[in-house]
Amino acid sequence: QVQLVESGGGLLQPGGSLRLSCAASGFTLDYYAIAWFRQAPGKEREGVSCITSSIGSTYYADSVKGRFTMSRDNGKNLVYLQMNSLKPEDTAVYYCAAKRGVLLGRRWLRSDEYDYWGQGTQVTVSS
Protein backbone atom coordinates (compact mmCIF):
# COMPACT_ATOMS: atom_id res chain seq x y z
CA GLN A 1 0.00 0.00 0.00
CA VAL A 2 1.40 3.35 -1.07
CA GLN A 3 1.50 5.80 1.77
CA LEU A 4 3.05 9.12 2.81
CA VAL A 5 2.90 9.97 6.49
CA GLU A 6 3.89 13.38 7.82
CA SER A 7 4.94 14.02 11.40
CA GLY A 8 6.56 16.70 13.52
CA GLY A 9 3.92 19.40 13.53
CA GLY A 10 3.05 21.36 16.63
CA LEU A 11 2.39 24.65 18.35
CA LEU A 12 5.23 27.09 18.83
CA GLN A 13 6.02 30.76 19.23
CA PRO A 14 7.20 33.08 16.47
CA GLY A 15 10.91 32.75 15.82
CA GLY A 16 10.95 29.10 16.73
CA SER A 17 12.09 26.10 14.69
CA LEU A 18 10.48 22.83 13.75
CA ARG A 19 11.42 19.87 11.60
CA LEU A 20 8.75 18.01 9.71
CA SER A 21 9.27 14.47 8.44
CA CYS A 22 7.54 12.55 5.71
CA ALA A 23 7.87 8.77 5.62
CA ALA A 24 7.14 6.94 2.39
CA SER A 25 6.03 3.32 2.27
CA GLY A 26 4.91 1.04 -0.54
CA PHE A 27 7.22 2.71 -3.04
CA THR A 28 10.82 3.91 -3.33
CA LEU A 29 11.45 7.63 -3.21
CA ASP A 30 14.50 7.34 -5.46
CA TYR A 31 12.40 7.73 -8.61
CA TYR A 32 10.13 10.48 -7.38
CA ALA A 33 10.03 14.22 -7.15
CA ILE A 34 8.99 15.20 -3.63
CA ALA A 35 7.36 18.39 -2.43
CA TRP A 36 5.96 20.05 0.63
CA PHE A 37 2.72 22.00 0.34
CA ARG A 38 0.73 23.85 2.95
CA GLN A 39 -2.82 25.02 3.34
CA ALA A 40 -3.97 27.69 5.75
CA PRO A 41 -7.64 28.07 6.74
CA GLY A 42 -9.60 29.74 3.97
CA LYS A 43 -6.66 29.68 1.57
CA GLU A 44 -5.62 27.55 -1.37
CA ARG A 45 -2.96 24.89 -1.01
CA GLU A 46 0.42 26.34 -1.92
CA GLY A 47 3.78 24.86 -2.76
CA VAL A 48 6.46 25.38 -0.15
CA SER A 49 9.44 23.43 -1.44
CA CYS A 50 10.32 20.69 -3.90
CA ILE A 51 13.23 18.45 -4.78
CA THR A 52 12.56 17.80 -8.41
CA SER A 53 14.13 14.36 -8.74
CA SER A 54 16.32 11.92 -6.86
CA ILE A 55 19.37 14.12 -7.40
CA GLY A 56 17.63 17.20 -8.69
CA SER A 57 17.37 20.82 -7.77
CA THR A 58 15.58 22.14 -4.73
CA TYR A 59 13.06 24.96 -5.10
CA TYR A 60 11.42 27.14 -2.48
CA ALA A 61 8.51 29.51 -2.42
CA ASP A 62 9.64 33.11 -2.01
CA SER A 63 7.84 33.29 1.33
CA VAL A 64 10.10 30.64 2.90
CA LYS A 65 13.45 31.16 1.15
CA GLY A 66 16.29 31.49 3.61
CA ARG A 67 14.17 30.08 6.45
CA PHE A 68 13.15 26.59 5.31
CA THR A 69 15.40 23.78 4.13
CA MET A 70 14.15 20.65 2.43
CA SER A 71 16.15 17.44 2.31
CA ARG A 72 15.64 13.81 1.47
CA ASP A 73 17.20 10.54 2.59
CA ASN A 74 16.46 8.04 -0.14
CA GLY A 75 18.09 5.24 1.81
CA LYS A 76 15.55 5.67 4.60
CA ASN A 77 12.68 6.72 2.33
CA LEU A 78 12.32 9.93 4.33
CA VAL A 79 11.87 13.58 3.44
CA TYR A 80 12.40 16.49 5.82
CA LEU A 81 11.45 20.13 6.04
CA GLN A 82 13.51 22.15 8.49
CA MET A 83 11.64 25.33 9.34
CA ASN A 84 13.43 28.17 11.13
CA SER A 85 12.42 31.69 12.11
CA LEU A 86 8.79 30.69 11.97
CA LYS A 87 6.13 33.36 11.58
CA PRO A 88 2.41 33.37 12.35
CA GLU A 89 1.75 33.34 8.60
CA ASP A 90 3.44 29.95 8.41
CA THR A 91 0.49 28.50 10.29
CA ALA A 92 -1.06 25.81 8.11
CA VAL A 93 -1.50 22.11 7.56
CA TYR A 94 1.65 20.86 5.87
CA TYR A 95 1.49 18.05 3.33
CA CYS A 96 4.12 16.07 1.51
CA ALA A 97 3.49 14.91 -2.03
CA ALA A 98 5.27 12.64 -4.50
CA LYS A 99 5.37 12.42 -8.26
CA ARG A 100 7.07 9.64 -10.20
CA GLY A 101 9.71 11.09 -12.47
CA VAL A 102 11.04 14.61 -12.73
CA LEU A 103 9.28 17.94 -12.38
CA LEU A 104 10.56 20.71 -14.62
CA GLY A 105 10.42 24.41 -14.01
CA ARG A 106 7.49 25.79 -12.08
CA ARG A 107 5.35 22.68 -12.53
CA TRP A 108 6.30 21.73 -8.99
CA LEU A 109 3.90 24.38 -7.75
CA ARG A 110 0.89 22.62 -9.28
CA SER A 111 -0.77 20.32 -6.80
CA ASP A 112 -2.41 18.32 -9.63
CA GLU A 113 1.04 17.16 -10.78
CA TYR A 114 1.45 14.79 -7.84
CA ASP A 115 0.55 11.14 -7.61
CA TYR A 116 0.53 10.65 -3.85
CA TRP A 117 -0.29 12.82 -0.87
CA GLY A 118 0.06 12.47 2.87
CA GLN A 119 -2.67 13.28 5.36
CA GLY A 120 -0.97 16.43 6.63
CA THR A 121 0.44 17.70 9.91
CA GLN A 122 -0.66 20.90 11.64
CA VAL A 123 1.85 23.67 12.31
CA THR A 124 0.64 26.58 14.43
CA VAL A 125 2.81 29.61 15.10
CA SER A 126 1.35 31.90 17.72
CA SER A 127 2.41 33.97 20.69
Side-chain angles (χ1 to χ4, degrees):
Q1 181 182 2
V2 172
Q3 209 171 12
L4 292 170
V5 179
E6 302 93 338
S7 60
L11 170 64
L12 66 164
Q13 293 186 339
S17 296
L18 205 60
R19 189 177 81 158
L20 303 183
S21 300
C22 174
S25 59
F27 68 104
T28 304
L29 281 178
D30 295 44
Y31 307 110
Y32 285 76
I34 302 293
W36 286 95
F37 281 74
R38 67 185 181 186
Q39 189 166 20
K43 295 189 177 181
E44 292 187 357
R45 190 170 296 190
E46 64 172 353
V48 174
S49 181
C50 178
I51 300 178
T52 55
S53 69
S54 180
I55 55 171
S57 301
T58 305
Y59 293 94
Y60 297 94
D62 289 343
S63 58
V64 306
K65 278 181 184 175
R67 300 188 298 121
F68 290 13
T69 302
M70 183 177 177
S71 60
R72 62 194 290 170
D73 185 336
N74 288 343
K76 295 182 179 179
N77 244 21
L78 287 168
V79 181
Y80 304 102
L81 185 68
Q82 177 67 43
M83 305 186 295
N84 299 328
S85 303
L86 281 159
K87 305 175 182 181
E89 51 263 43
D90 295 317
T91 295
V93 178
Y94 284 72
Y95 301 89
C96 64
K99 174 186 170 60
R100 185 171 178 84
V102 178
L103 280 167
L104 301 176
R106 294 178 62 80
R107 292 178 67 178
W108 76 269
L109 291 165
R110 295 181 51 173
S111 58
D112 61 357
E113 287 282 349
Y114 295 87
D115 302 312
Y116 306 121
W117 288 85
Q119 84 291 345
T121 185
Q122 176 71 46
V123 173
T124 303
V125 185
S126 174
S127 55

